[in-house]
């Protein structure tokens, strides 16, 4: 199994089960990925923000649909507008790295702030990195450390490792 698929599967599981959204009709062990994607895409077209976040992830990670970063970003942007913190994080990350959209640290920061306001650990981590390294904001390592510490306290292992190594 390649690293991309492992990351995608982990993120898919975190979004669908860790976020409290359970789709009993979409059990991964009983459906092939294209069918799973179609199920989430169908729910997304009905307005379900969690399904939009997951469908976007599946498009970005080639999990059941062809690689389509623009479609992934569109799903995430729509779900972010519905105040879905996972989608706000994913849309922010897309802006940060230029996935399916031009790189824009300001938009990334805004979306991370929205998700961080809902205590989303990955958004807190990425917001911490933006401040720590001064990407799109004035470098402020103390503020970056505060966000990274909050992410670590909420279980983000990467933030915890960063804090142990760099602080």
């Amino acid at each position: 199994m390649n690293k991309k698929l492992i990351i995608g599967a982990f993120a898919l599981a975190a979004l669908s089960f860790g976020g409290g959204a359970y789709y009993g009709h979409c059990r991964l062990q009983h459906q092939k990925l294209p069918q799973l994607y179609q199920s989430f895409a169908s729910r997304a077209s009905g307005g379900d923000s969690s399904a939009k976040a997951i469908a976007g992830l599946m498009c970005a990670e080639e999990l059941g649909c062809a690689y389509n970063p623009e479609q992934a970003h569109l799903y995430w942007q729509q779900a972010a507008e519905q105040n879905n913190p996972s989608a706000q994080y994913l849309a922010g990350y897309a802006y940060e790295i230029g996935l399916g959209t031009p790189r824009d640290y300001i938009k990334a920061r805004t979306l991370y702030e929205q998700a961080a306001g809902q205590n989303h650990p990955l958004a807190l981590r990425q917001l911490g990195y933006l401040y720590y390294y001064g990407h799109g904001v004035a470098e402020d390592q103390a503020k970056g450390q505060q966000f990274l510490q909050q992410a670590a306290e909420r279980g983000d292992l990467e933030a915890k490792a960063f804090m142990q190594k760099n602080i």
Side-chain angles (χ1 to χ4, degrees):
M1 185 177 279
N2 67 34
K3 183 178 178 183
K4 189 176 195 181
L5 186 58
I6 292 168
I7 292 168
F10 172 77
L12 176 63
L15 282 170
S16 44
F17 301 110
Y22 176 71
Y23 298 94
H25 65 287
C26 296
R27 291 187 179 90
L28 185 57
Q29 67 270 22
H30 297 293
Q31 272 188 331
K32 294 180 181 170
L33 286 172
Q35 294 166 319
L36 183 62
Y37 169 73
Q38 286 304 319
S39 181
F40 282 113
S42 175
R43 291 190 62 99
S45 68
D48 184 319
S49 68
S50 293
K52 288 177 186 179
I54 294 166
L57 182 66
M58 294 181 83
C59 289
E61 294 289 335
E62 296 178 271
L63 296 170
C65 68
Y67 178 68
N68 189 338
E70 293 81 13
Q71 180 62 47
H73 183 259
L74 179 62
Y75 276 130
W76 295 331
Q77 195 62 38
Q78 290 171 351
E81 291 168 5
Q82 292 177 268
N83 207 32
N84 181 298
S86 293
Q88 290 166 336
Y89 159 72
L90 290 164
Y93 192 69
Y95 278 117
E96 183 179 356
I97 66 170
L99 179 70
T101 186
R103 180 176 283 187
D104 187 330
Y105 288 119
I106 304 303
K107 288 181 181 177
R109 186 194 73 214
T110 299
L111 287 158
Y112 289 153
E113 287 172 343
Q114 291 170 2
Q118 299 179 66
N119 294 313
H120 193 281
L122 301 178
L124 286 161
R125 177 197 347 127
Q126 291 307 120
L127 193 54
Y129 287 155
L130 291 182
Y131 280 99
Y132 192 85
Y133 293 112
H135 293 158
V137 297
E139 184 177 307
D140 186 340
Q141 290 188 346
K143 190 171 187 174
Q145 289 172 11
Q146 289 174 345
F147 285 118
L148 287 159
Q149 183 62 40
Q150 290 175 31
E153 289 169 0
R154 285 165 180 76
D156 186 84
L157 298 178
E158 185 177 323
K160 184 176 182 178
F162 181 89
M163 294 292 289
Q164 290 173 342
K165 181 179 176 186
N166 297 295
I167 311 305

